[in-house]
Amino acid sequence: MVRTDSSNPLLSAVEGSTPRLPDDDVSPLELWSALIIRKTLILVVLLISLITAGLFIFFTPSVYESRAVLQIGQIGQIGHIEPPAVVTKRVVVQDDIDREKTAIGRVRPFIQTAFLEKDTNLISIVARGPTPDATQEYLAHVVARVIHEHQKLFDLALKEQQQSLNLIQMHGHRLNQAIAANEKELSILARRPANDDAIAALRVNFSQEKSKLLEQRRLAEQRQLDLRMAMSALRSKPTTLIKAPTLTADPVKPRPLLYFALAIGIGLMLGIFSALVIEFISKTRRSTSS
């Protein structure tokens, strides 16, 4: 067995040349002391982060947002003038087409989103743009275009329903004339001898015909009632503007408070991390040199 005592010069030389590693255990007090010593570094990193955020805010163009709400109209017995889901998709697609026609490099308002409010026939349309006036004007144009298109469809549907109502009324008038003629014939037959078989057969035929005419008139009257109800203000409504284009109080971009808060958080984390890394390197070098 080989003994390793300090009397052996070779072993002593080897032990003396081996560096001692720093202790891995670091107390919170040592960390705090390291941060206090390097507080200048932390403040410098924090200041750089704040300056970067300030420059980003300064050079970022302002973006304004406006929102409008439409209530999709409906026509009785038909339903919505245009399915709300189709309207939301069409508004966005039309905006994309308009932007493709815009000169390259020109900043213009655009539709940010269009969505259907849950369990309603209300559509919210949100536009964004570089200036408040341009954003308001563009959203008003988009809304007016939808309302104009729906109004044409609404008027056309009402016109067709009115034509159907006129035809049914004419049919009802002819039925009334036929019923009146039938009753006149029956009154004439009623004065004929009751024991005449031919007269009795005619009475039966005219009675059956009258029953059919009365049923047809009942159906025509019911159809007229249904159409009038469908055309009433309760069942048929054009697309209307529930909420006019309204701007937010402040631009949605940039957001100084949010960006500065993020800058402070990121700056402090980077500063503290840098201070701890430098302290670890310094401690390692001191331990190695000793």
Side-chain angles (χ1 to χ4, degrees):
M1 180 191 296
V2 180
R3 296 178 58 188
T4 58
D5 60 31
S6 57
S7 61
N8 191 328
L10 293 177
L11 292 178
S12 299
V14 172
E15 290 179 356
S17 62
T18 303
R20 297 181 61 187
L21 296 176
D23 190 0
D24 290 337
D25 296 332
V26 181
S27 67
L29 183 60
E30 289 177 330
L31 290 176
W32 179 252
S33 300
L35 295 179
I36 294 298
I37 293 173
R38 305 191 184 278
K39 61 180 181 296
T40 302
L41 173 63
I42 297 175
L43 292 176
V44 169
V45 174
L46 176 60
L47 181 60
I48 293 174
S49 179
L50 290 173
I51 292 174
T52 302
L55 292 174
F56 178 79
I57 293 172
F58 180 78
F59 287 106
T60 299
S62 297
V63 177
Y64 296 86
E65 183 176 280
S66 181
R67 178 183 175 184
V69 180
L70 283 175
Q71 184 178 35
I72 302 302
Q74 60 183 16
I75 302 172
Q77 297 184 337
I78 296 178
H80 290 113
I81 297 176
E82 184 178 14
V86 176
V87 178
T88 58
K89 183 66 175 178
R90 185 167 63 83
V91 167
V92 175
V93 171
Q94 184 63 49
D95 180 71
D96 292 338
I97 294 174
D98 293 341
R99 275 197 281 181
E100 291 177 357
K101 297 178 182 178
T102 304
I104 298 176
R106 178 187 170 191
V107 180
R108 61 179 291 277
F110 62 95
I111 298 299
Q112 172 69 14
T113 184
F115 58 93
L116 178 65
E117 301 286 352
K118 186 177 180 181
D119 299 329
T120 67
N121 62 341
L122 301 180
I123 290 180
S124 293
I125 304 176
V126 179
R128 289 186 176 183
T131 63
D133 292 341
T135 306
Q136 287 282 83
E137 182 180 352
Y138 181 70
L139 183 56
H141 167 72
V142 171
V143 168
R145 181 168 58 189
V146 173
I147 293 176
H148 178 68
E149 292 170 348
H150 284 194
Q151 187 64 47
K152 291 193 298 184
L153 295 174
F154 181 79
D155 293 341
L156 179 61
L158 285 185
K159 182 179 178 181
E160 291 179 350
Q161 288 190 339
Q162 184 61 51
Q163 291 176 350
S164 297
L165 181 60
N166 293 338
L167 291 175
I168 293 174
Q169 288 176 338
M170 293 175 59
H171 180 60
H173 180 67
R174 289 194 294 267
L175 287 174
N176 288 332
Q177 290 178 337
I179 292 172
N182 182 281
E183 290 177 344
K184 184 178 180 180
E185 292 293 335
L186 283 175
S187 63
I188 294 174
L189 291 174
R191 294 193 293 267
R192 298 290 180 88
N195 55 358
D196 191 334
D197 293 339
I199 298 300
L202 286 174
R203 287 176 181 174
V204 172
N205 290 336
F206 275 106
S207 296
Q208 292 177 349
E209 183 66 22
K210 181 180 178 180
S211 298
K212 294 179 181 178
L213 291 173
L214 289 174
E215 178 63 19
Q216 291 179 18
R217 185 174 68 177
R218 186 190 67 80
L219 294 176
E221 290 174 348
Q222 183 62 46
R223 178 60 177 162
Q224 288 186 53
L225 180 61
D226 292 342
L227 279 174
R228 292 184 188 278
M229 286 294 297
M231 296 170 63
S232 67
L234 295 175
R235 300 280 297 276
S236 294
K237 300 178 182 179
T239 296
T240 54
L241 183 62
I242 300 299
K243 180 181 179 182
T246 305
L247 282 169
T248 52
D250 300 307
V252 293
K253 290 182 180 181
R255 301 171 65 181
L257 292 179
L258 175 61
Y259 294 165
F260 278 124
L262 290 175
I264 291 173
I266 295 173
L268 286 175
M269 288 191 295
L270 289 177
I272 293 172
F273 179 75
S274 301
L276 294 177
V277 169
I278 293 176
E279 178 64 22
F280 175 79
I281 294 174
S282 299
K283 186 177 180 181
T284 302
R285 288 179 177 177
R286 288 195 302 267
S287 299
T288 303
S289 60
S290 63

